[in-house]
Amino acid sequence: MKVNELSALCGFEALCLPDGEREISGAYIGDLLSWVMGRAQADNAWITIMSNINVIAVASLADVACIILAEGVTLDEEIRKTAEQKDINVLVSPLPAFETAEQLIGKV
């Protein structure tokens, strides 16, 4: 499934969608950035509640298809602009991480 399709299907807010046609294969949930760098797979949807600039760097290094910010977490405007510049898709879910992950079952 593509990032823009997942966003529409699950009702996630597209905070930043420079590459909405990117395919998602699998998901990873985690907030410890060093752990995510070593374990998230390319093209995963990464679910987190972290919203600092380092999240954008880790998403780029891990080559994830998108970041899904759980619990309605959002990015400040400067971080959002950086995500846009680095072609990092960022979605926002109002749900906790577990329930956000449930939304992905059977879709990615």
Side-chain angles (χ1 to χ4, degrees):
M1 174 168 286
K2 296 177 181 178
V3 175
N4 56 6
E5 294 170 338
L6 181 72
S7 177
L9 188 62
C10 294
F12 299 152
E13 176 189 353
L15 191 62
C16 178
L17 206 57
D19 189 11
E21 291 294 308
R22 180 139 180 210
E23 288 285 336
I24 302 170
S25 62
Y28 190 83
I29 304 171
D31 298 319
L32 184 59
L33 300 181
S34 60
W35 200 261
V36 174
M37 278 192 313
R39 289 175 172 75
Q41 301 294 309
D43 301 319
N44 278 174
W46 171 27
I47 302 169
T48 184
I49 59 167
M50 300 293 291
S51 63
N52 62 45
I53 191 68
N54 295 328
V55 170
I56 305 306
V58 169
S60 181
L61 287 169
D63 196 26
V64 297
C66 64
I67 301 167
I68 303 174
L69 299 171
E71 299 194 27
V73 169
T74 191
L75 299 176
D76 71 31
E77 185 58 21
E78 286 302 311
I79 297 172
R80 192 202 64 75
K81 286 180 184 176
T82 301
E84 187 83 34
Q85 291 168 350
K86 295 188 176 289
D87 291 330
I88 304 295
N89 297 307
V90 183
L91 308 176
V92 178
S93 168
L95 304 170
F98 178 79
E99 292 170 15
T100 297
E102 285 182 319
Q103 296 290 307
L104 276 61
I105 295 172
K107 296 177 182 79
V108 300

